[in-house]
Amino acid sequence: MLPDGHFAGRVALITGGGTGIGQAIATQLAALGADLVIAGRRREPLEDTARTLRGYGVKVLPVAMDVRDAEAVQAMVDTSLATFGRIDMLVNNAAGNFRAPAVALSENAWRAVTDIVLHGTWFCTQAVGRVMIEAGGGSILNIGTVGGFHGGPLAVHSASAKGAVLAMSRTLAVEWGAHRVRVNVLTPGATADTGAVGQLFPEADAQQRIIAAIPAGRFARREEIADAACYLLSDYAAYVTGANLVIDGGKWLGRGHLDNPNRPAQPAQGDTP
Ligand code: HXC
C-alpha cells in the first residue's frame, strides 16, 4: 500500500505487539522499514514475534511489561530511547475485555479492564507524547472499538474505557496539534484470527450471527486493519488528526430501517471466521 521503505529510519512502539492486531500492525510497519519496540505482558509471544520481524532487516526490541504500571511504562520508554534514540510512532493496542452482564461485574473486574484500556493508554500516551513534543512531532494511534460510541451489551467496562480513549484522542489532537503530534483512532470491527473474536465469541453459531449482520458479509482480516494503521501513522496522513477510522465492513451503521436486498445471505467468499 505505502511505498517500500516508507518508515525507514523511524521507530514505532506498539503495545500488545506480540499477538493479534498488534502483531499484524508491527509486521506491516517492519515490512515498510520501521524499527520496533513491541510490548506485552507475556515474554514468549514477544520474543517469537521479534524473531520473525527481524527477518525484514529491522531492529526489534521486545519489552515484557504491563501498561497498567506507570513506572513500567516510563521504564519502557527510557529503554526505547536508550536503544533507538527516538520514538516516532505509538500504537496503543493493548486491551482487555470479557463478556459479562453489567450488574454482575465485580469492582476488580471493572478495574482490570479500565486499567488496561484507559489508564494503560494514558500512561503510554503521556510518556511518549512528552518525547514527541520534545522531538518536534510524532504520530499516535489508539485502537478503539465500536462499543466505544455505539451501544452494545455485556461489555460496559470495555465500552466505557474505549469511549474515554476516543475523547482522549480528540482532546490531545487539539492540544498537541501545534507540536505536530497527531492523535488518531482506528476502530476495527470483529477481526479474524484474533483473541477478541475467539475469546468473546467462541461459538461458531454466534460468529455466524455476527457475520450475518455485517454488510460486507465477513470479518475483517488482520492485514486490512494493519494497512489502515500504517496509513494513519504515515506521512500520507500528515493532515489527519483527531479522526476515528472505523473498519468494520459497515456493521456499526446497522442494516438500515428497510430490509437490504443486497445483503449477503452467506458469508462472503474467503472469509475465515
Ligand atoms: C467475569 C471476569 C472474567 C470473565 C476476568 N474476570 N474474566 N469476570 N467474566 N470472563 C474478573 C475476575 O474474576 C477478576 O475479578 C477481575 O476480572 C480480574 O481478573 P484477572 O484474571 O485477575 O485479571 P488479569 O489477569 O489482569 O486479566 C485481565 C483481563 C483478561 C481483562 C480480565 O481477560 C485479559 O488480560 N485479557 C487480555 C486479552 C483480551 O482480553 N483481549 C481481547 C481484547 S478485545 P474478581 O472480583 O474475581 O477478583 C477488545 C475489543 C473488543 O478490547 C471488540 C469486540 C468485537
Side-chain angles (χ1 to χ4, degrees), residues 169-265:
S169 308
R170 289 171 171 161
T171 300
L172 295 178
V174 174
E175 187 168 327
W176 292 352
H179 298 289
R180 300 168 62 88
V181 175
R182 296 186 297 110
V183 188
N184 289 296
V185 179
L186 175 59
T187 297
T191 304
D193 300 324
T194 60
V197 165
Q199 179 187 320
L200 297 175
F201 310 105
E203 317 84 5
D205 61 330
Q207 296 192 8
Q208 291 306 314
R209 278 199 304 277
I210 294 168
I211 288 170
I214 300 173
R218 62 172 176 82
F219 288 160
R221 301 186 184 94
R222 296 183 345 150
E223 295 72 20
E224 291 172 318
I225 307 304
D227 279 341
C230 286
Y231 162 69
L232 288 171
L233 290 166
S234 79
D235 295 343
Y236 289 84
Y239 201 58
V240 182
T241 193
N244 176 27
L245 177 55
V246 180
I247 302 190
D248 72 341
K251 180 171 187 299
W252 90 274
L253 297 167
R255 285 156 50 181
H257 63 290
L258 301 173
D259 185 38
N260 177 0
N262 296 322
R263 184 169 55 84

Side-chain angles (χ1 to χ4, degrees), residues 55-141:
Y56 290 97
V58 298
K59 299 189 190 86
V60 185
L61 174 68
V63 181
M65 51 82 71
D66 191 328
V67 294
R68 291 175 280 195
D69 179 344
E71 283 182 17
V73 168
Q74 189 57 54
M76 169 179 68
V77 170
D78 293 345
T79 306
S80 304
L81 286 176
T83 305
F84 294 118
R86 56 193 295 159
I87 305 172
D88 304 278
M89 299 169 270
L90 167 67
V91 182
N92 283 305
N93 166 73
N97 197 6
F98 52 81
R99 285 158 59 82
V103 291
L105 272 184
S106 70
E107 178 184 341
N108 197 29
W110 171 268
R111 287 190 193 281
V113 170
T114 56
D115 272 354
I116 296 171
V117 175
L118 176 55
H119 300 140
T121 297
W122 169 242
F123 294 148
C124 294
T125 298
Q126 187 187 42
V128 176
R130 286 171 174 151
V131 173
M132 290 176 168
I133 288 170
E134 176 75 22
S139 182
I140 297 173
L141 184 63

